[in-house]
């Protein structure tokens, strides 16, 4: 086995955008005297359509609500949260290391390309990614494996020559179904998910170098 590429998820993996969104809706729910359960929210992490926070708030309050007003409020709070959010610890180190090792670097995300490009540019890391595949490129997002299949195809490597870095079960399922090695790096809103299918679980991208990760994956496949 020779690992030639690494494909990163975006939301919740490179930046803690997942917590930004969850905290924004948690505050909105509180304004209506309700609580947003993390277990319910987590169903939609890494995919689309898994959980409708507007529908759930209507269920809890017992009636229809002005979704446009709630969405505008969410966007306001979410943007304020995002403005305070930086890259996760270890992201820059791993990107630089991957480049130094000669690994091809891709990104596969269920988010839309404009969202991804915006934040990669703002964080100054866009140039690291040779390939980006987003919801704009597929009919089905994660856990469907198509995003990862398209990413490795565009990188010119076989699926078993690539490592996926994921923070959610939906993302991990997509990567494994596509044939990639799956490294899970949970964040505070995905920490309680069941990552038993992962080839490796890390507390953060600071914990292990790619050299160490590749060495362990090679040992595990012997």
């Amino acid at each position: 086995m020779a690992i030639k590429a690494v494909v990163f998820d975006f939301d919740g993996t490179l930046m803690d955008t997942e917590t930004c969104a969850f905290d924004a809706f948690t505050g909105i729910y509180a304004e209506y005297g309700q609580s947003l359960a993390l277990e319910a929210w987590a169903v939609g992490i890494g995919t689309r359509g898994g959980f409708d926070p507007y529908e759930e708030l209507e269920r809890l309050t017992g009636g229809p609500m002005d979704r446009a007003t709630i969405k505008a409020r969410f966007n306001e709070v979410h943007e304020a949260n995002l403005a305070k959010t930086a890259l996760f610890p270890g992201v820059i180190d791993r990107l630089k290391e991957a480049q130094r090792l000669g690994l091809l670097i891709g990104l596969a995300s269920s988010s839309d390309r404009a969202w991804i490009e915006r934040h990669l540019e703002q964080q100054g890391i866009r140039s690291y990614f040779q390939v980006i595949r987003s919801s704009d490129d597929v009919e089905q997002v994660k856990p469907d494996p198509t995003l990862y299949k398209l990413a490795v195809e565009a990188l010119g490597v076989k699926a078993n020559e690539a490592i996926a870095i994921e923070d959610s079960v939906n993302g991990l399922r997509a990567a494994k179904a596509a044939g990639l090695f799956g490294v899970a790096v949970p964040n505070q809103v995905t920490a309680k998910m069941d990552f038993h299918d992962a080839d490796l679980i890390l507390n953060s991208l600071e914990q292990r170098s790619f050299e160490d990760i590749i060495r362990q994956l090679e040992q595990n496949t012997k």
Side-chain angles (χ1 to χ4, degrees), residues 4 9 16 18 33 40 51 67 113 132 167 189 206 210 215:
K4 299 178 180 178
D9 170 52
D16 200 8
E18 298 289 4
F51 173 71
R67 293 196 180 196
R113 180 174 287 271
I132 293 176
D167 73 299
V189 296
E206 286 185 307
F210 276 132
R215 189 178 302 115

Side-chain angles (χ1 to χ4, degrees), residues 111-130:
S111 292
D112 62 78
R113 180 174 287 271
W115 168 265
I116 298 163
E117 294 277 4
R118 165 192 164 189
H119 290 291
L120 294 182
E121 292 287 354
Q122 287 178 348
Q123 297 297 330
I125 60 172
R126 175 62 182 88
S127 62
Y128 285 100
F129 298 92
Q130 290 145 298

Side-chain angles (χ1 to χ4, degrees), residues 9 11-13 18 38 42-43 45-46 142 148 164-176 181-204:
D9 170 52
D11 292 290
T13 298
E18 298 289 4
L38 178 56
V43 174
I45 294 177
K142 304 171 187 177
Y148 275 107
I165 310 295
E166 276 286 352
D167 73 299
S168 72
V169 168
N170 282 319
L172 180 64
R173 287 174 179 164
K176 296 295 290 181
F181 291 95
V183 175
V185 190
N187 55 56
Q188 61 180 342
V189 296
T190 63
K192 293 184 179 180
M193 290 183 174
D194 182 1
F195 290 101
H196 71 274
D197 287 333
D199 295 290
L200 183 65
I201 303 174
L202 303 178
N203 294 324
S204 81

